Amino acid sequence: MSLTEDAENQDELARVKRELARVQRQLYETKHKRADYLETVHNAVVETIQGISINPVPLLTGVPEGARLHHVALLSDLQTGKITPDYNSTVAAERVALYADKVIEQGMKTGVRDITVAMLGDMVEGVDIFPGQQWLIDSTLYRQVFDTTPVIIAEFVRKLLTWYEHVTVEAVQGNHGRIGRRGVFGPEDNADRMVYRVASLLLRDEPRVTFNMADPEGEAAWYKIATIGNYRAMLIHGDQIRGANGFPWYGLGKKVHGWASGALGVGVTFDDLFMGHYHQMAAVPLNHRTVWANGSTESYNTFAQETLAAMSSPAQWLLAVDPAVGKVESAYPIGLA
């Protein structure tokens, strides 16, 4: 290597060292500038957050405003007069009274002050609608119709009046109200209808009670449409839907869609359907409608054990309806055991 080449290399090395030193200084300055920037941002965020005051979420106290809602109590399958190992007319009365207490409790919690009672039939047990029934009752049909059951219903409504400003009763008949075997008497002769009539007379001096019962002349009072604002419910007992030793899950669709599509007459529509009969609590969605199947106040039942392999705890539905929107907003299964 010549002296000239060596000198050129030394100059290039010196230049690279100077450039490297310059880049290192820039990197150092940039890092410190970024650190200063981040520190500034951090301090600004801390100072800003410290200056914000957010009040804690208050604990809800008092009675919420529930005026826009309307309660619907389903009452069915009391079957007063029936005897099972732990059920009779006295127990039926106690459980209906307990139901009223629990309904009022929900009314007080939510502030709801109006209620409709949907009475769905089988309020009595009857005396001769199937062979051997006379061995499974604690009272005659006379006692069931004119003594026990109307008093239970009237006391139930009167207790509701201690909280609710107005009570509307909507009632249909059940198959246990039938007098004698099928076909012996006309379809208008039904003990449930008699019970409703007596109960309405017991409540006739209550100005805050409206008693509406399905009562067509010469016909079975098997259905009724109840209207609550923009909400409409079809009431049946449930024996219209046939089941094979169990709840008729697949039979509901055909009947409900048929009734909703014009079988009840032109322009007769409903949003939901209320029914009893099967002594099992259920909410069955059918597209935009719901079938609310009610329970019973009865509990232990050896026939249900043996034949249906089903025996639910005593319970009844309480629904909260928004009359303006026209739908059920919430539902409470009320246990009575």
Side-chain angles (χ1 to χ4, degrees):
M1 179 181 295
S2 66
L3 292 175
T4 301
E5 291 176 342
D6 182 60
E8 289 177 352
N9 288 338
Q10 291 295 329
D11 291 343
E12 181 64 20
L13 179 60
R15 189 187 66 78
V16 170
K17 287 181 178 180
R18 288 194 303 271
E19 184 65 20
L20 178 60
R22 185 185 67 79
V23 172
Q24 288 177 335
R25 284 195 303 272
Q26 287 183 341
L27 180 60
Y28 177 81
E29 291 174 358
T30 300
K31 287 182 176 179
H32 278 73
K33 286 181 180 179
R34 183 174 180 273
D36 292 342
Y37 173 76
L38 292 176
E39 183 179 1
T40 300
V41 172
H42 176 268
N43 292 338
V45 171
V46 170
E47 291 174 2
T48 302
I49 291 177
Q50 288 177 342
I52 296 174
S53 177
I54 301 177
N55 295 326
V57 177
L59 181 66
L60 187 64
T61 58
V63 178
E65 178 57 49
R68 68 182 180 86
L69 298 180
H70 187 108
H71 272 164
V72 179
L74 307 191
L75 185 68
S76 72
D77 300 279
L78 311 184
Q79 296 184 222
T80 57
K82 184 174 187 176
I83 293 178
T84 74
D86 68 350
Y87 191 72
N88 53 43
S89 296
T90 300
V91 175
E94 292 171 350
R95 289 178 178 169
V96 172
L98 176 61
Y99 181 37
D101 290 337
K102 290 191 174 185
V103 168
I104 290 171
E105 181 181 349
Q106 284 297 327
M108 296 178 71
K109 285 180 180 179
T110 58
V112 179
R113 300 304 297 267
D114 284 303
I115 190 168
T116 293
V117 181
M119 299 189 182
L120 306 175
D122 276 11
M123 315 308 278
V124 300
E125 170 63 11
V127 293
D128 190 34
I129 66 171
F130 60 85
Q133 188 181 22
Q134 67 270 25
W135 309 110
L136 302 173
I137 59 175
D138 66 8
S139 54
T140 63
L141 187 62
Y142 168 78
R143 294 294 176 190
Q144 293 176 40
V145 170
F146 295 103
D147 185 7
T148 312
T149 320
V151 172
I152 291 174
I153 291 174
E155 289 304 311
F156 176 74
V157 172
R158 284 171 56 82
K159 182 172 280 193
L160 293 180
L161 287 171
T162 62
W163 169 257
Y164 293 96
E165 295 177 356
H166 192 271
V167 178
T168 300
V169 176
E170 306 281 355
V172 295
Q173 71 185 42
N175 63 302
H176 271 266
R178 189 177 68 241
I179 300 175
R181 308 296 169 85
R182 189 180 298 276
V184 174
F185 288 84
E188 188 178 10
D189 292 318
N190 186 282
D192 280 339
R193 293 170 79 167
M194 299 177 190
V195 166
Y196 296 145
R197 182 64 69 195
V198 175
S200 67
L201 292 173
L202 293 175
L203 296 165
R204 67 184 180 277
D205 294 326
E206 292 285 358
R208 294 187 290 124
V209 174
T210 301
F211 209 109
N212 302 319
M213 56 180 286
D215 195 23
E217 184 174 352
E219 300 288 342
W222 69 272
Y223 89 95
K224 193 176 192 308
I225 303 295
T227 302
I228 303 169
N230 292 321
Y231 179 76
R232 291 167 62 83
M234 180 179 179
L235 281 59
I236 65 172
H237 175 58
D239 57 312
Q240 296 80 11
I241 302 169
R242 301 290 182 251
N245 294 334
F247 194 88
W249 301 103
Y250 299 104
L252 281 173
K254 183 177 185 301
K255 284 291 183 75
V256 173
H257 294 317
W259 289 326
S261 64
L264 300 178
V266 178
V268 180
T269 62
F270 56 93
D271 300 295
D272 291 335
L273 183 134
F274 303 155
M275 61 175 280
H277 186 61
Y278 286 90
H279 295 205
Q280 296 184 59
M281 301 282 284
V284 184
L286 296 174
N287 293 335
H288 296 292
R289 294 180 178 84
T290 298
V291 174
W292 296 95
N294 203 31
S296 171
T297 54
E298 180 195 9
S299 46
Y300 193 90
N301 185 318
T302 52
F303 172 80
Q305 278 183 320
E306 179 180 1
T307 307
L308 305 178
M311 187 169 62
S312 299
S313 298
Q316 305 273 275
W317 277 116
L318 174 66
L319 310 178
V321 169
D322 189 328
V325 177
K327 70 175 185 178
V328 173
E329 183 176 275
S330 54
Y332 309 92
I334 307 296
L336 303 176

